[in-house]
Amino acid sequence: MAPAKLKIGCAGLGRMGKRHALHFLNRTPRAELVAASSPDDAELQWAKQHLEPYGVRLYKDYEEMLKQEGLQAVVIASVTTVHAEQAIKAMEANKHVLCEKPLSTSVKVSQTVVDAAKKKPHLKVMCGFSRRFDESYRDAWNKMDSGLIGRPSIFRSQTCDKLDPSGFFVAYAEFSGGIFVDCSIHDIDLALWFFGQDSMVKSVVSSGITAVQPDLRKHNDRDNAVGIVEFYGGRIAYLYASRMMAAGQEDSTEIIGTEGKLTVNMQPQTNLVNIYEGSGIRREIPGTYYGRFEQAFVTEANEFTAACLDDGKLPMKLTGAVQAVKIGCALQESLVTGAKLWFDETGRKVEKAQL
């Protein structure tokens, strides 16, 4: 008798949705991709070529896909604005959920996903923060957790995309939630992971510029931004986000402790090849985020599948996804207003004079 497989559907077949679909189809042995949905005709045409021949049923309507007999789980990779709505509908249909980050660009809406999940405790509901599944980040966390660098006190992390002159990020900014919610959300999640998932924010302040894409300002966004998050207990996270790296994707992290420090990907590289030429020595780096974290996404798919089939524990709390959005939104507010924001130890925003 063949072992049971998790029957999963993919919602959204854009750039990230295609990757998720192919991961579950080809690289997750305990899962079976049985359905996919997209309201976009071009995406469905792609699916007719790459998914349908392998038994994947295609839908234009997401809710119709949820009715497919035998469907057990959904990976949501649609546009950010429908993440929460689709996650809640999946739970109402009694399906496990793996949702791309963020749950929403709104703290209040993100919380509705957590509230819905609490009503269905037998379901596995996870927000996909890919770096938590990366071997290097896991190794760094384990080393920190073992006490190798003493008490972690300063966290510096960046997400820097290769320059895209097409104007994609200008159009995307209309619904992305801004550079901190969309781009730095990974670094914020890492800060909460390394400092402790229940760390409470004391203050946030940020600043940014539009160095190459001034039209971002009409959406209250920037192409380069720096944020500082101070946590209660004497810890600080310094975050940098950029949309204009010339050489390629530069995502790196530094965790500084009282007895040492750890770094991850401080010198980005595609592989271990060095190029020696007349102008010097160089190494190529990944051109995209996926180029750096492809294997992390595959690990995420496999671990989510295992948690669903074996009723195992998920590697992160869903409430952490709400906390990450809350911090991202606060940083974005500071970016737009120029004000430093303060919070009490319960997480409520307050005036500094009240502290």
Side-chain angles (χ1 to χ4, degrees):
M1 185 175 180
K5 289 192 174 186
L6 182 72
K7 290 180 169 53
I8 192 162
C10 183
L13 293 169
R15 183 167 51 183
M16 200 65 248
K18 290 181 176 72
R19 292 166 180 166
H20 278 298
L22 292 175
H23 292 164
F24 280 105
L25 182 67
N26 300 316
R27 303 171 73 177
T28 312
R30 299 184 68 192
E32 180 184 359
L33 186 73
V34 297
S37 71
S38 172
D40 185 275
D41 288 333
E43 291 179 6
L44 286 176
Q45 194 59 43
W46 174 89
K48 285 181 182 296
Q49 180 181 350
H50 294 92
L51 303 180
E52 197 171 48
Y54 302 97
V56 180
R57 189 170 178 181
L58 305 181
Y59 297 85
K60 195 158 190 175
D61 185 87
Y62 171 72
E63 292 185 47
E64 285 301 311
M65 183 184 77
L66 291 178
K67 297 175 184 176
Q68 180 166 321
E69 186 177 354
L71 187 70
Q72 298 169 287
V74 177
V75 54
I76 295 171
S78 309
V79 294
T80 304
T81 49
V82 299
H83 281 184
E85 175 189 348
Q86 290 190 337
I88 291 171
K89 285 181 178 178
M91 285 182 269
E92 289 174 346
N94 213 37
K95 315 300 180 191
H96 303 292
V97 177
L98 169 57
C99 183
E100 259 300 319
K101 63 80 194 169
L103 293 177
S104 167
T105 57
S106 157
V107 178
K108 184 177 180 181
V109 175
S110 297
Q111 184 61 45
T112 63
V113 180
V114 175
D115 294 341
K118 287 179 180 176
K119 296 176 183 177
K120 301 271 190 172
H122 63 289
L123 295 177
K124 304 299 178 183
V125 183
M126 186 173 84
C127 186
F129 287 104
S130 50
R131 290 185 211 178
R132 294 216 188 196
F133 299 89
D134 178 70
E135 288 184 6
S136 295
Y137 276 103
R138 285 184 166 182
D139 185 43
W141 190 90
N142 287 331
K143 285 179 167 58
M144 178 211 69
D145 191 52
S146 73
L148 184 65
I149 61 169
R151 180 179 181 275
S153 303
I154 304 294
F155 178 89
R156 296 197 297 188
S157 195
Q158 68 178 45
T159 298
C160 297
D161 296 330
K162 186 175 183 178
L163 176 63
D164 180 351
S166 71
F168 167 80
F169 285 116
V170 176
Y172 183 51
E174 185 175 358
F175 55 84
S176 72
I179 196 166
F180 283 112
V181 175
D182 172 60
C183 199
S184 292
I185 200 79
H186 288 291
D187 306 287
I188 295 167
D189 177 66
L190 287 174
L192 291 169
W193 187 27
F194 279 86
F195 281 165
Q197 195 66 63
D198 297 321
S199 298
M200 298 302 296
V201 174
K202 184 176 182 180
S203 69
V204 304
V205 65
S206 64
S207 184
I209 58 172
T210 49
V212 294
Q213 294 176 321
D215 286 348
L216 282 167
R217 287 184 173 269
K218 67 185 178 185
H219 299 303
N220 284 328
D221 206 7
R222 310 291 187 266
D223 53 30
N224 285 266
V226 172
I228 297 175
V229 182
E230 181 185 6
F231 293 91
Y232 281 96
R235 291 172 170 173
I236 289 178
Y238 171 98
L239 313 172
Y240 171 46
S242 177
R243 303 289 200 191
M244 67 169 207
M245 292 297 105
Q249 192 75 22
E250 295 185 39
D251 302 324
S252 57
T253 300
E254 184 176 21
I255 308 101
I256 304 168
T258 53
E259 298 173 22
K261 74 175 183 179
L262 297 162
T263 67
V264 180
N265 206 42
M266 291 301 283
Q267 294 182 315
Q269 57 194 69
T270 296
N271 51 38
L272 298 178
V273 175
N274 286 338
I275 302 166
Y276 293 73
E277 51 196 358
S279 59
I281 305 169
R282 66 182 175 90
R283 57 170 66 96
E284 294 177 337
I285 69 176
T288 65
Y289 184 87
Y290 184 70
R292 165 64 181 86
F293 292 104
E294 178 180 354
Q295 187 54 48
F297 283 107
V298 174
T299 301
E300 175 186 76
N302 279 273
E303 292 191 7
F304 172 75
T305 297
C308 294
L309 290 174
D310 303 333
D311 194 24
K313 185 177 180 181
L314 292 170
M316 64 192 81
K317 294 180 180 179
L318 190 61
T319 52
V322 179
Q323 177 75 335
V325 171
K326 183 176 182 179
I327 295 172
C329 287
L331 285 164
Q332 199 70 25
E333 181 181 342
S334 176
L335 177 71
V336 174
T337 65
K340 185 174 184 177
L341 308 182
W342 296 85
F343 301 84
D344 64 20
E345 293 185 66
T346 69
R348 183 172 59 93
K349 187 167 32 169
V350 295
E351 297 298 324
K352 186 178 186 298
Q354 294 176 260
L355 291 178

